[in-house]
Amino acid sequence: TSEEEALNLLFEGETNRAIAEHQMNKNSTRSHCIFTMHLDIRSRIESSEKVVKSKLNLVDLAGSERVKNTGSSGKTLQEANYINKSLTFLEQVVIALSSKGRDHIPFRQSKLTNVLRDSLGGNCKTRLIANIWIEARHIHETVSTLKFATRMMRVANTPTINERQDPAMLLKKYKRQIRELKQELAMHDSLANRNNIQYDDFTPEQRQEAYEQVAGYLEDKIPEIKIVSVRQIQELFRQFKEYVRKNGGGGAAR
């Protein structure tokens, strides 16, 4: 995804966000908004199979509302109830995270807390921007927001780098190493006058030849089989099993 595509998605989400008017706010957002980016970072200098994975959540929470102050009704009232309920669940999670010795964290209580579980405590960095009003008529909302921010400050985070190995890049690396090792072995064999050794898989013709060698040896038609490599030994054992399967263990004992 390019930068332009990411910005288009951000603007599309902002455009589709529901906004309504009540007595305390002419442009009150009626839902929370979360914009999530997944980042894969690769170094151009170090090993290319190493990938640093990051997840960035940009969250705009709808503010809590006192219904008696907003004068909301109908759909706006229903939305306010949903907003307040989800914020209550979020605050419960924050309180649980800030409490020492607490084993259970209620992330699954709401979609909001479940989505943000990677951004609250643990292996992450969290920044909270609290928006408040200075007017006296908003004192209750201001105090409530500051209390929530204070609880959030108590949440302990221990961010670490999420480094992973890319399976596709690792596969390419291993294939390259195997190819280079085969070339190295071929060079050593050539210097030692062992030109008849191979390191690739046996062809069907070579498997048939190995089977005939095993059969000839077991049936006393040839005195011995010349061994030149470990790969040949492995193939001869496979063909020996095949011979036993076909002949029921017959043949001369060796």
Side-chain angles (χ1 to χ4, degrees):
T1 302
S2 65
E3 178 183 355
E4 182 179 357
E5 290 173 330
L7 288 174
N8 288 337
L9 290 173
L10 177 62
F11 295 147
E12 182 180 354
E14 182 65 22
T15 302
N16 295 331
R17 197 174 185 187
I19 296 176
E21 180 181 354
H22 55 67
Q23 293 180 5
M24 299 183 67
N25 192 347
K26 293 182 179 180
N27 297 300
S28 174
T29 53
R30 310 312 300 160
S31 64
H32 308 303
C33 182
I34 302 175
F35 183 70
T36 302
M37 290 185 289
H38 297 270
L39 306 175
D40 289 351
I41 304 171
R42 302 174 187 269
S43 174
R44 295 183 178 180
I45 302 175
E46 298 179 357
S47 179
S48 59
E49 68 270 6
K50 293 183 180 180
V51 181
V52 177
K53 292 186 172 291
S54 301
K55 182 179 181 182
L56 176 62
N57 284 323
L58 302 177
V59 186
D60 184 11
L61 297 175
S64 60
E65 299 177 355
R66 292 177 179 268
V67 177
K68 64 178 182 179
N69 295 335
T70 61
S72 302
S73 62
K75 183 180 179 180
T76 305
L77 176 60
Q78 186 181 27
E79 291 169 344
N81 291 331
Y82 286 144
I83 292 171
N84 291 340
K85 187 176 181 181
S86 65
L87 291 175
T88 299
F89 289 145
L90 178 60
E91 188 169 13
Q92 290 175 359
V93 168
V94 171
I95 292 174
L97 287 171
S98 59
S99 301
K100 294 183 179 180
R102 181 75 175 264
D103 294 329
H104 175 67
I105 308 298
F107 285 114
R108 296 185 178 181
Q109 287 194 126
S110 69
K111 289 182 179 180
L112 177 65
T113 53
N114 196 31
V115 170
L116 296 182
R117 65 186 308 162
D118 294 335
S119 300
L120 299 171
N123 181 23
C124 68
K125 291 183 178 180
T126 305
R127 297 291 182 268
L128 173 67
I129 301 175
N131 297 311
I132 59 176
W133 293 77
I134 59 174
E135 288 85 350
R137 61 192 181 99
H138 296 299
I139 186 64
H140 294 292
E141 285 73 17
T142 298
V143 171
S144 177
T145 300
L146 293 177
K147 284 183 178 179
F148 176 77
T150 302
R151 295 189 183 100
M152 195 67 202
M153 290 173 60
R154 299 194 183 103
V155 176
N157 294 343
T158 309
T160 58
I161 298 176
N162 298 316
E163 189 174 272
R164 300 289 185 271
Q165 301 287 334
D166 187 344
M169 297 301 296
L170 280 175
L171 183 59
K172 290 182 179 179
K173 175 185 176 182
Y174 294 149
K175 285 182 177 179
R176 184 181 67 253
Q177 289 179 344
I178 291 172
R179 184 173 63 252
E180 292 173 351
L181 288 172
K182 286 181 177 180
Q183 293 172 351
E184 186 75 16
L185 286 171
M187 184 187 71
H188 285 287
D189 291 334
S190 177
L191 294 174
N193 294 321
R194 301 172 63 194
N195 298 324
N196 57 340
I197 299 177
Q198 68 172 39
Y199 298 99
D200 294 324
D201 292 336
F202 276 59
T203 64
E205 293 78 12
Q206 290 171 328
R207 290 193 182 98
Q208 180 61 31
E209 182 181 352
Y211 179 82
E212 292 173 356
Q213 288 177 339
V214 170
Y217 178 76
L218 294 176
E219 296 170 5
D220 285 330
K221 294 179 180 179
I222 57 175
E224 63 180 17
I225 300 174
K226 185 179 180 181
I227 302 300
V228 296
S229 68
V230 175
R231 185 177 291 272
Q232 181 198 13
I233 296 174
Q234 295 171 340
E235 185 61 35
L236 289 173
F237 269 111
R238 280 193 288 266
Q239 297 307 323
F240 173 75
K241 293 178 182 178
E242 181 66 16
Y243 179 90
V244 172
R245 186 185 66 81
K246 288 182 177 179
N247 297 277
R254 289 279 182 165

